Amino acid sequence: MAGDPTLIGRVTRSSTLGFVGALKSPEPEIPVFGMFCKCEAQRGKSDVLGVIYNINIEDDDLTRQIAAAERPTEEELADQQYVRQIPIEFEALAVGYRLTEAYFYTLPPQPPLALAPIRPMKSDEIVQFTNQFEFIPLILSASNLPVDALLAACLRKASVARPRQERQNFLLEAGRYCAKLLSHDLPRMDSFLRILCFEEKSAI
Amino acid sequence: MSLDLRKLLPQVDLMVQSIVSRNSRIDALIPEVLAAFAGLHSDDQELLQRKLDQAGETWPAAMPTDEEAQKTYPPPQPRREYSVFATDGSQIHPDRHSPTMYYLINIGRISLRYGSGAPPEISSVVKIYFDDDDLYDEFGSAISTSIINGKRDVLELESLASLAEKSTEQPSVALLDNGLLLWLAAQVGAHRNRPIDQLLDQYLKHMSRLQSSEALLAGFLDKPRHWNVVALLTLANTALEDVRQLTIKSNPYRGIIDRTIFSRILKPGFRSSLFIQRSKLNTAFRDAGHQVYFFYMHTGAGDNIVRVEVPEWVANSQSRLDIVHDALLQQCRQTEGYPYSLVRAHELAVVSNLDRQNLESLIQNRLIDHGLSFSQSRKAETKRWTGRKRRFQV
């Protein structure tokens, strides 16, 4: 967001399961699907950690009118895309929280308050958090979400946060962990591992 | 629901019958009006001028200009590069039932540089008025809503002048969502007082600033209900000796508006000839070098006819008129007949009920922070009780 490059957006609504944030216009790299983010809760005592699973751009009558116009001008398109205040909403699934420097792989005790700043997790924070794979069951158990694609995207983000020589090993370990969790559902495991292989190729 | 629609139904039926009958009367008159319009230029111009003089400025007839009245002008060659500035204003009027007395004016501003590919620059100027000098006139009476609206109109023009002065881009068009004659002054006619005169002076000063900036000022009126050209046709069809007896009620073309004529004459994208609005107020504008001219334009969308008002320093140059005509057509293309820049300026200006409630909460919280108590009037409080969604319909 303009003025504060470390801010993705601010919370508009939240629950212990996750939070929804809004921003005016997206930067090329934030927010993106599968991104790790954090948000203060309990008056700064804890950070709720989330992964972005949906980015939603609202429309309205004027946007639809311009979209349907025969030849919208570049300037009016730029106005609609970068200037006009149509909030872009993104939704994050809570995958853990941080309290006094320790990470916990369960739902947070309290959701963040409305308008709390949402920031991307730094590479070292992602590495520390994903050194353990206990966040994976929280993602896989989420209902009505594209959990396989989300998990694969998260694992890719977690791998690129690591030094190049550690990335493949991290993805292999994560893949084994997921295979155990999905062993009861072989078609799904097969599909997930294919997505992960694709992510692996693009990450390494 | 308080409104008993069943009781209103017979009245609504009567209203609709009256509209149908009025429309058939107007439809029957239209060929005559169109014929009168077609013959306007060949009429004796000297006689027409004598009739205009006899009728005086109270008869709202437009004055023809050097452009032949019935001539129409096709869309100019579209320009790719030009700038548009637009402003629009919104206000919260004082409410004596509120915890505190204040009023607010919010002006939305937008600058678009077509041909640059760059997004527009947007901003808003907001001010809250709370001093006794703002809220009460010299006799201690509460400021009227029309004065507040007049202030808003002056601020809209001031903002437009500021945008134009900051820009070095030429050509540029400065757009207002309104006629150019200060509405407040037009409403009071000869009964102007000091505050209105002060506002008018400021308004004319900002018009001069716009003229110096070389931005081409235009006022855009959607769905106009003026009948200045029809009033001119009435004069043309009235014998000189009968002009003095002419009244609005005796006008044979009563109920016909200019838009009705021009919707049958103007092809998509075309504009009408220029006319001058005759009024005492426009004389004051003329004396300041800003006499207001107007033309009608088909925006190209459906049968949408709009009225465009321009000051004399735009009207007196064919190339300037062409720039305004072209810019408005291009602006109307994406939005089906209403300029894009004005849509956005309005969006930036509008103060919603929710905005007002939020502002009032903020004021209340600040009052409490300073240990001040406040109370809503009982009337406001009871309105809040009964204004909520009802459990049972009465």
Side-chain angles (χ1 to χ4, degrees):
Chain A
M1 278 177 104
D4 185 353
T6 67
L7 190 68
I8 308 175
R10 289 186 181 276
V11 171
T12 54
R13 57 184 187 273
S14 62
S15 75
T16 44
L17 297 176
F19 46 89
V20 176
L23 72 156
K24 193 174 148 190
S25 66
E27 297 299 323
E29 297 302 327
I30 53 171
V32 290
F33 181 72
M35 182 180 200
F36 285 91
C37 57
K38 60 184 179 180
C39 191
E40 271 186 16
Q42 297 179 288
R43 299 197 178 205
K45 204 170 136 192
S46 66
D47 277 331
V48 179
L49 310 178
V51 288
I52 293 174
Y53 65 85
N54 188 30
I55 300 167
N56 191 31
I57 298 172
E58 298 285 325
D59 69 350
D60 66 2
D61 288 346
L62 181 57
T63 314
R64 281 193 286 274
Q65 181 64 43
I66 301 294
E70 213 170 290
R71 282 169 298 166
T73 66
E74 276 181 70
E75 295 77 17
E76 287 160 4
L77 287 176
D79 182 32
Q80 294 293 323
Q81 290 178 327
Y82 306 118
V83 180
R84 194 156 173 256
Q85 290 182 328
I86 301 178
I88 293 165
E89 265 197 355
F90 58 93
E91 295 170 273
L93 174 74
V95 289
Y97 64 98
R98 181 169 60 185
L99 185 67
T100 58
E101 300 306 314
Y103 289 104
F104 295 87
Y105 300 84
T106 183
L107 294 178
Q110 201 175 75
L113 294 179
L115 300 182
I118 304 168
R119 301 180 189 284
M121 282 174 71
K122 295 176 191 156
S123 291
D124 60 324
E125 292 171 326
I126 296 174
V127 171
Q128 279 185 47
F129 179 66
T130 55
N131 272 341
Q132 293 181 49
F133 294 130
E134 278 84 352
F135 66 96
I136 293 176
L138 271 177
I139 295 179
L140 286 176
S141 62
S143 56
N144 298 322
L145 297 186
V147 287
D148 294 356
L150 176 64
L151 181 56
C154 287
L155 292 176
R156 178 181 181 274
K157 298 266 179 287
S159 76
V160 295
R162 292 172 158 75
R164 189 169 286 274
Q165 63 277 15
E166 293 175 21
R167 290 177 187 176
Q168 192 166 21
N169 194 41
F170 169 80
L171 286 172
L172 277 172
E173 289 299 317
R176 283 192 192 113
Y177 187 89
C178 294
K180 270 189 225 161
L181 294 175
L182 296 173
S183 58
H184 62 286
D185 189 348
L186 290 177
R188 186 177 169 195
M189 183 169 74
D190 182 53
S191 157
F192 172 73
L193 291 175
R194 277 174 204 279
I195 301 172
L196 191 60
C197 282
F198 175 77
E199 294 284 353
E200 183 184 351
K201 279 178 199 153
S202 56
I204 295 168
Chain B
M1 197 164 67
S2 312
L3 202 58
D4 189 340
L5 292 180
R6 285 168 304 179
K7 281 184 189 162
L8 275 176
L9 192 59
Q11 294 179 57
V12 170
D13 283 342
L14 273 179
M15 185 173 75
V16 171
Q17 277 168 26
S18 158
I19 292 169
V20 169
S21 122
R22 191 180 58 195
N23 284 356
S24 2
R25 186 181 64 80
I26 287 174
D27 284 347
L29 276 173
I30 281 175
E32 185 186 327
V33 176
L34 289 175
F37 185 68
L40 196 58
H41 195 68
S42 54
D43 284 351
D44 182 343
Q45 296 303 302
E46 198 183 314
L47 178 63
L48 188 59
Q49 187 55 54
R50 282 172 65 197
K51 289 178 182 175
L52 282 165
D53 294 342
Q54 285 261 349
E57 284 169 338
T58 49
W59 183 254
M63 196 155 74
T65 62
D66 292 341
E67 293 188 341
E68 280 180 37
Q70 68 273 45
K71 202 172 163 193
T72 60
Y73 296 79
Q77 191 64 27
R79 275 177 177 269
R80 255 191 57 73
E81 293 181 0
Y82 64 99
S83 296
V84 174
F85 315 117
T87 59
D88 197 15
S90 180
Q91 68 289 315
I92 297 177
H93 287 133
D95 178 2
R96 65 193 170 88
H97 300 292
S98 285
T100 183
M101 284 286 277
Y102 69 92
Y103 65 93
L104 173 144
I105 297 177
N106 188 40
I107 307 290
R109 318 193 304 176
I110 182 165
S111 304
L112 277 146
R113 278 200 304 137
Y114 287 98
S116 70
E121 287 175 25
I122 59 165
S123 55
S124 62
V125 181
V126 62
K127 189 171 177 197
I128 192 163
Y129 299 83
F130 51 84
D131 277 337
D132 283 352
D133 287 347
D134 296 321
L135 295 169
Y136 303 98
D137 66 16
E138 55 193 337
F139 306 107
S141 303
I143 187 169
S144 69
T145 54
S146 55
I147 290 279
I148 294 170
N149 295 346
K151 274 191 171 187
R152 182 206 58 211
D153 290 347
V154 171
L155 286 172
E156 285 177 7
L157 198 68
E158 181 183 7
S159 292
L160 206 52
S162 303
L163 291 178
E165 283 170 345
K166 265 193 247 163
S167 168
T168 54
E169 309 293 327
Q170 294 294 346
S172 58
V173 175
L175 280 184
L176 275 184
D177 177 28
N178 223 334
L180 291 187
L181 293 173
L182 182 64
W183 192 83
L184 169 68
Q187 289 307 297
V188 295
H191 307 289
R192 296 214 303 259
N193 55 21
R194 204 153 59 101
I196 297 176
D197 280 340
Q198 283 171 347
L199 289 173
L200 183 59
D201 284 347
Q202 290 170 24
Y203 191 85
L204 289 169
K205 194 180 78 186
H206 298 314
M207 277 185 108
S208 300
R209 288 173 62 200
L210 278 156
Q211 184 182 9
S212 305
S213 74
E214 297 191 29
L216 309 179
L217 175 62
F220 186 94
L221 290 110
D222 189 30
K223 217 174 173 191
R225 294 202 56 83
H226 300 73
W227 55 288
N228 308 108
V229 176
V230 174
L232 178 66
L233 298 178
T234 306
L235 270 191
N237 277 5
T238 305
L240 181 63
E241 56 274 20
D242 296 334
V243 165
R244 281 190 192 282
Q245 277 79 54
L246 206 55
T247 63
I248 289 174
K249 279 194 173 174
S250 68
N251 175 15
Y253 300 148
R254 191 178 180 194
I256 304 181
I257 55 174
D258 294 353
R259 191 154 46 92
T260 314
I261 304 175
F262 289 106
S263 64
R264 285 161 172 83
I265 290 171
L266 293 174
K267 292 182 200 156
F270 278 56
R271 75 160 173 91
S272 73
S273 289
L274 280 169
F275 296 89
I276 297 172
Q277 180 151 347
R278 272 170 6 112
S279 67
K280 270 203 167 54
L281 183 59
N282 207 7
T283 308
F285 274 61
R286 186 193 64 198
D287 294 345
H290 306 303
Q291 188 174 32
V292 173
Y293 288 58
F294 67 89
F295 60 84
Y296 287 91
M297 187 182 87
H298 189 309
T299 61
D303 58 353
N304 190 30
I305 303 291
V306 298
R307 175 170 161 132
V308 179
E309 297 191 354
V310 289
E312 60 187 76
W313 34 275
V314 174
N316 291 339
S317 152
Q318 189 59 50
S319 60
R320 289 179 173 192
L321 268 179
D322 281 350
I323 292 167
V324 170
H325 183 182
D326 169 45
L328 286 174
L329 283 180
Q330 294 201 48
Q331 286 273 294
C332 287
R333 193 167 293 140
Q334 326 300 350
T335 38
E336 294 194 345
Y338 190 76
Y340 180 84
S341 54
L342 286 177
V343 174
R344 292 285 283 114
H346 172 77
E347 187 177 39
L348 295 164
V350 73
V351 181
S352 65
N353 275 339
L354 183 64
D355 290 330
R356 185 184 178 134
Q357 283 167 19
N358 288 338
L359 174 63
E360 299 230 322
S361 300
L362 182 70
I363 293 169
Q364 286 176 10
N365 290 340
R366 286 289 187 270
L367 286 171
I368 292 168
D369 287 349
H370 286 80
L372 296 169
S373 64
F374 64 88
S375 60
Q376 260 191 333
S377 75
R378 295 312 300 157
K379 183 176 174 178
E381 187 62 24
T382 52
K383 272 187 175 178
R384 194 175 62 80
W385 295 342
T386 55
R388 285 190 182 154
K389 200 172 177 183
R390 292 179 182 175
R391 283 176 169 187
F392 306 106
Q393 287 205 344
V394 179

